[in-house]
Amino acid sequence: MTERKHAEWRRWRRWIACAAAIVAGGGLIAFVVIVPQAGDDPAARVAAIWTASRVTSELAGLVIIALLIRNAWSQKQTLLLQRDLYRLQSETLELSRKEHELQVRKDDLDRAEARSQYLDEQFDQAVAKLGSDTVAAKIAGVKALNRLGHEHPELRDEIAEVWCALLRTRVADPTEQDDVRALVQRLLLEHLRAPYEGTPTSTADEAHTDYWTLRRIDLGGADLIDADFSDCLLPNWFARQARFHGTTRFARARFIGPATFTNAQCTGPVDFTSACFTDECTMDSMRFADSADFTDAVFRGLLECSSTTFAGPAVFTRAQFPHTARFVKSRFLRAAHFGSSAWVFRAEFTLAEFEDYAGFDNARFVDRAVFGRAVFGAAVSFERAKFGRNATFTGIECRDTASFNNAHFDEDVAFDDAQFADTAGFRRTRFRGQVSYCGVRFDALAAFGSARFDGRVDFSSTRFGEGAGVDCTSASAAPGDFLPSDRIWPPGWTTIDKVTVLLLIPIPDPRTDLAPVFQTPTTRTR
């Protein structure tokens, strides 16, 4: 930097010397040319000297201006050179930075590749141990995979898939489980148990939790013995044709994504209490050999439970169905409890078979409820149930008592072609929409005491078997502009003018030719 300043100063000294020489030479020429022309006249000589001095000063001014211009141009060139220099330095630094980044990236890739190769080798070695002939080697392989999963989260999905593949191998004797399968099942369940508020593991330190975040659980065709999935977080659950032996627990389990149990078999009790299904759940053709408890379970997605067999008690008490739920052709061989359950969308039990007690007490159906051609082999109860949309009981067969006492139907309900072999209770039932009992057969007491009909009524072709009785004490129908064809009452029922109180007239005995004996009806004015 100092040498450059000295060189620049030397250049400026040459320019100044040249300028001084030009001014001196010009002044000398001016004096030589102008002063002699004045002659001997003193005044003229003074004027000539003044003129020569003025010319010299103007020449000096021009030279100074030229020097200033030269200085400005020089500074401009210097600035341009400095700018170019800075740009080159910046480009050089940028190139150096990029070269450094490339080198760092290359080093990272090399380390990642080396690490990947190391992990692959460790993973392959652990998996190879699972194929060993000795139990000790297999257990060592399982533990090695577990250790790899703890240290390297990116391998957890692959490790879980290996474990699931091992569980998918069928066992000859489901009552006995070898140590390897037991260890795999235990580790898998431990890593699926997610701590959240309200669970025994919720107080665990998050940094020390054994939970693994997985993308999918594939247990299709697996054999699981005494599996406890309580409090587990189960993503994209797939257990098609799986066999659950012993006691199986899914209490408070959360199924994230679709859950598939199609054709699965449960040989022992199954506990789904407070389980939550966030997406579609498929349980078609499942078989529950023992009790199935779904108390307080929540099915947020579509529930497909068609052609499923419940050989033990089925409990859906307080279960919630925010989406459509289908139990088409399902069989309930023992008691089925759906008390206080809530159905937001369509509930379908078409062709379902209930061989034991079926309880829907206090159930609420917001959308359609379809029980078409369902068979109730024992007592069935819909007491205090509420139906928000159309309800269909067409062709149902009730072989024991059927109670709809205190039920509430907000819209139309159809019992066409239904068969009631025992007492059919509709006491204090409220029918706000159209009611159709067309072709219904009552073989025992049909109790409509204090029932209320607000809309159209159709009891056409209603049949009463031998020994059947009808009780419509205090039953009533809301007044309105109804045509005679809008309200077709069963034989033996009539209304008193505009009071619209239903009266019971005894049904004649078809075995005698005696004229019917009419009892004095008890009326109630509304």
Side-chain angles (χ1 to χ4, degrees):
M1 190 70 180
T2 304
E3 294 179 357
R4 192 188 333 178
K5 288 184 176 180
H6 287 168
E8 186 175 354
W9 172 242
R10 285 195 297 271
R11 287 196 300 272
W12 269 105
R13 282 191 302 177
R14 289 196 295 269
W15 281 101
I16 292 173
C18 291
I22 292 172
V23 172
L28 180 60
I29 293 173
F31 275 93
V32 171
V33 173
I34 296 174
V35 173
Q37 294 179 1
D40 296 330
D41 187 2
R45 291 181 65 85
V46 171
I49 293 171
W50 173 253
T51 301
S53 299
R54 185 175 179 182
V55 170
T56 302
S57 62
E58 290 179 355
L59 179 61
L62 291 174
V63 171
I64 292 173
I65 292 174
L67 288 176
L68 293 175
I69 293 173
R70 174 66 178 80
N71 183 45
W73 180 85
S74 177
Q75 290 181 351
K76 180 180 179 181
Q77 295 299 316
T78 302
L79 291 175
L80 292 176
L81 291 175
Q82 290 178 350
R83 185 190 65 183
D84 294 340
L85 179 62
Y86 291 153
R87 180 174 59 80
L88 291 175
Q89 290 177 347
S90 299
E91 292 177 354
T92 302
L93 291 175
E94 182 67 18
L95 290 175
S96 299
R97 185 183 65 80
K98 290 183 177 180
E99 183 179 0
H100 176 70
E101 289 181 353
L102 290 175
Q103 185 63 39
V104 171
R105 188 178 302 176
K106 181 178 179 299
D107 294 340
D108 291 341
L109 291 175
D110 292 340
R111 284 193 295 270
E113 184 178 0
R115 181 173 179 271
S116 177
Q117 291 178 354
Y118 170 76
L119 293 179
D120 289 343
E121 292 176 358
Q122 295 293 315
F123 183 82
D124 293 340
Q125 291 175 4
V127 172
K129 292 180 181 179
L130 298 180
S132 175
D133 295 332
T134 63
V135 176
K138 291 181 179 180
I139 292 178
V142 173
K143 292 182 177 180
L145 289 175
N146 187 54
R147 184 174 60 256
L148 284 175
H150 275 294
E151 297 174 354
H152 308 284
E154 66 273 15
L155 294 178
R156 291 176 177 177
D157 280 297
E158 297 182 47
I159 295 172
E161 176 57 30
V162 172
W163 287 349
C164 290
L166 192 148
L167 294 175
R168 287 197 296 267
T169 58
R170 292 293 190 182
V171 295
D173 186 2
T175 61
E176 297 182 2
Q177 181 167 226
D178 60 80
D179 295 338
V180 179
R181 291 178 62 91
L183 177 60
V184 169
Q185 180 175 302
R186 179 178 63 81
L187 291 176
L188 181 62
L189 295 180
E190 286 180 358
H191 296 319
L192 290 174
R193 189 161 288 115
Y196 64 99
E197 185 177 357
T199 67
T201 56
S202 60
T203 58
D205 186 358
E206 291 291 338
H208 297 86
T209 180
D210 288 332
Y211 174 71
W212 288 5
T213 301
L214 303 176
R215 293 193 299 266
R216 175 181 171 84
I217 302 298
D218 184 359
L219 292 172
D223 275 310
L224 300 171
I225 302 174
D226 293 326
D228 186 1
F229 290 92
S230 299
D231 304 310
C232 286
L233 184 64
L234 306 174
N236 297 313
W237 173 268
F238 185 83
R240 183 183 181 91
Q241 296 181 342
R243 296 189 299 186
F244 298 90
H245 307 282
T247 301
T248 304
R249 296 181 177 87
F250 288 92
R252 299 174 302 280
R254 293 169 291 168
F255 293 84
I256 307 301
T260 302
F261 289 88
T262 304
N263 290 311
Q265 298 181 29
C266 301
T267 61
V270 182
D271 181 8
F272 280 92
T273 56
S274 300
C276 180
F277 297 83
T278 63
D279 207 322
E280 178 178 353
C281 177
T282 305
M283 294 186 176
D284 289 341
S285 302
M286 277 192 72
R287 178 174 177 79
F288 295 90
D290 208 316
S291 62
D293 190 353
F294 290 85
T295 302
D296 294 315
V298 179
F299 298 86
R300 299 189 182 279
L302 172 67
L303 172 61
E304 290 284 0
C305 198
S306 300
S307 301
T308 299
T309 300
F310 295 88
V315 182
F316 287 84
T317 305
R318 296 187 303 279
Q320 299 181 35
F321 303 88
H323 208 282
T324 300
R326 297 191 181 97
F327 289 83
V328 179
K329 296 182 179 180
S330 289
R331 298 183 63 199
F332 298 85
L333 306 185
R334 297 288 298 278
H337 301 274
F338 289 87
S340 301
S341 55
W343 312 72
V344 178
F345 282 90
R346 183 184 179 99
E348 187 167 356
F349 286 84
T350 304
L351 296 172
E353 296 182 20
F354 297 85
E355 298 187 10
D356 205 329
Y357 171 78
F360 291 85
D361 298 340
N362 297 299
R364 179 169 179 79
F365 300 88
V366 179
D367 207 318
R368 292 197 62 184
V370 182
F371 288 83
R373 299 190 299 282
V375 177
F376 298 93
V380 55
S381 176
F382 285 89
E383 293 190 2
R384 298 176 299 280
K386 295 183 179 181
F387 298 85
R389 292 287 300 278
N390 298 345
T392 302
F393 293 88
T394 303
I396 65 170
E397 182 180 352
C398 299
R399 299 171 183 172
D400 205 325
T401 59
S403 176
F404 290 84
N405 298 330
N406 296 295
H408 197 113
F409 296 90
D410 285 339
E411 294 191 13
D412 300 346
V413 55
F415 288 91
D416 298 339
D417 299 318
Q419 300 181 39
F420 296 93
D422 208 323
T423 302
F426 294 90
R427 295 184 177 92
R428 297 174 298 280
T429 302
R430 184 68 177 269
F431 300 93
R432 290 186 175 275
Q434 179 174 333
V435 184
S436 178
Y437 283 87
C438 184
V440 175
R441 179 179 178 84
F442 294 98
D443 290 322
L445 176 64
F448 286 87
S450 299
R452 174 77 171 182
F453 298 88
D454 292 343
R456 293 181 174 85
V457 181
D458 184 3
F459 278 87
S460 61
S461 303
T462 302
R463 296 167 295 168
F464 294 89
E466 183 178 355
V470 180
D471 175 21
C472 58
T473 305
S474 300
S476 63
D481 297 330
F482 295 104
L483 299 175
S485 60
D486 290 338
R487 282 182 168 175
I488 303 175
W489 304 107
W493 291 26
T494 186
T495 57
I496 298 179
D497 297 332
K498 296 182 180 180
V499 182
T500 66
V501 176
L502 300 182
L503 301 178
L504 174 60
I505 300 177
I507 301 174
D509 188 351
R511 296 172 298 179
T512 66
D513 295 328
L514 299 176
V517 179
F518 295 94
Q519 298 178 351
T520 303
T522 301
T523 63
R524 177 182 175 185
T525 303
R526 294 251 174 179

